[in-house]
Amino acid sequence: QKEVEQNSGPLSVPEGAIASLNCTYSDRGSQSFFWYRQYSGKSPELIMFIYSNGDKEDGRFTAQLNKASQYVSLLIRDSQPSDSATYLCAVLEGGSYIPTFGRGTSLIVHP
Amino acid sequence: DGGITQSPKYLFRKEGQNVTLSCEQNLNHDAMYWYRQDPGQGLRLIYYSQIVNDFQKGDIAEGYSVSREKKESFPLTVTSAQKNPTAFYLCASSSDGKTGAFFGQGTRLTVV
């Protein structure tokens, strides 16, 4: 059974701070890793994906992947109240079309 | 605009009725998926399809059925056999899975 684990939170950070969201996965054959943002009552929106060990940056977002330790993280710099949402981690096994989702971490950015 | 369209946004069903949720995409994606989301449960896979006229059951397929007669369309029927159908239903599509799946706006189904 493939598992993707996230702390449910809520993670509360002040405006302007760095928010750090973490995700661990059980399947060593996983090849692709995704972060989604989901606002309350809305559908998930893909923020970033990463394949290779190391960091990938896109604007205020940085995804970090460490395959040896089987974790992937998302850093949000200069957090804004509009970043308040649930962040879902998803993992895709090599050769598969089906991502496995974690349950999400709730992020609250307070002014 | 390219995207995934789900309809209706809200749906009310009486017990014992079958209902069909629509999902259409114009992204030319091969793979399509149906997920169910309940509070605190995360996303659970109902069915997925990699190509036209082919689909596979996910983790919670009982009480649901799908068809994939066209590449653009992947409707989901919630049958009366589904005992607890009240949930948020999400349709998604992907080109090959590797670059991520893109979601429609979702359909919120309530049994009354």
Side-chain angles (χ1 to χ4, degrees):
Chain A
Q1 180 81 4
K2 305 183 189 71
E3 293 186 351
V4 178
E5 299 288 343
Q6 296 181 257
N7 187 321
S8 62
L11 173 65
S12 182
V13 300
E15 184 175 357
I18 297 175
S20 178
L21 304 160
N22 299 310
C23 171
T24 60
Y25 59 94
S26 62
D27 187 358
R28 286 195 172 274
S30 299
Q31 297 289 326
S32 304
F33 307 85
F34 311 93
W35 283 101
Y36 290 82
R37 177 177 62 200
Q38 186 175 24
Y39 292 114
S40 180
K42 303 296 185 182
S43 61
E45 173 192 8
L46 181 64
I47 300 175
M48 293 187 70
F49 60 87
I50 185 168
Y51 307 138
S52 305
N53 276 328
D55 295 359
K56 179 181 179 182
E57 187 174 318
D58 184 0
R60 294 187 296 114
F61 299 99
T62 299
Q64 298 176 319
L65 175 61
N66 184 323
K67 289 188 178 181
S69 300
Q70 295 178 244
Y71 81 79
V72 56
S73 61
L74 179 70
L75 302 179
I76 306 175
R77 291 182 299 281
D78 188 23
S79 296
Q80 301 297 310
S82 59
D83 294 325
S84 299
T86 296
Y87 290 79
L88 304 174
C89 172
V91 173
L92 187 70
E93 182 185 2
S96 171
Y97 276 69
I98 307 168
T100 301
F101 285 85
R103 294 190 176 190
T105 298
S106 175
L107 173 66
I108 299 172
V109 181
H110 53 87
Chain B
D1 286 338
I4 304 172
T5 302
Q6 289 186 243
S7 62
K9 189 173 181 180
Y10 299 96
L11 185 58
F12 297 89
R13 189 195 93 171
K14 293 182 179 179
E15 287 194 21
Q17 282 184 336
N18 293 354
V19 290
T20 297
L21 283 57
S22 171
C23 179
E24 303 277 335
Q25 56 98 0
N26 60 6
L27 299 169
N28 199 33
H29 284 170
D30 287 316
M32 296 188 75
Y33 317 81
W34 275 105
Y35 290 92
R36 168 178 172 148
Q37 188 174 39
D38 298 279
Q41 291 274 1
L43 297 176
R44 292 186 289 170
L45 182 68
I46 304 173
Y47 269 97
Y48 73 99
S49 168
Q50 291 182 215
I51 57 172
V52 174
N53 292 323
D54 187 50
F55 48 82
Q56 284 78 41
K57 293 181 179 180
D59 300 321
I60 56 165
E62 184 175 352
Y64 301 97
S65 66
V66 294
S67 63
R68 186 86 187 274
E69 297 177 0
K70 299 186 298 182
K71 187 175 185 178
E72 301 80 16
S73 179
F74 193 40
L76 174 75
T77 297
V78 184
T79 74
S80 57
Q82 170 52 235
K83 297 306 179 187
N84 186 21
T86 295
F88 189 38
Y89 290 87
L90 291 158
C91 179
S93 72
S94 173
S95 56
D96 59 2
K98 297 176 184 177
T99 52
F102 296 87
F103 286 84
Q105 67 180 31
T107 293
R108 199 166 296 276
L109 173 64
T110 303
V111 174
V112 297

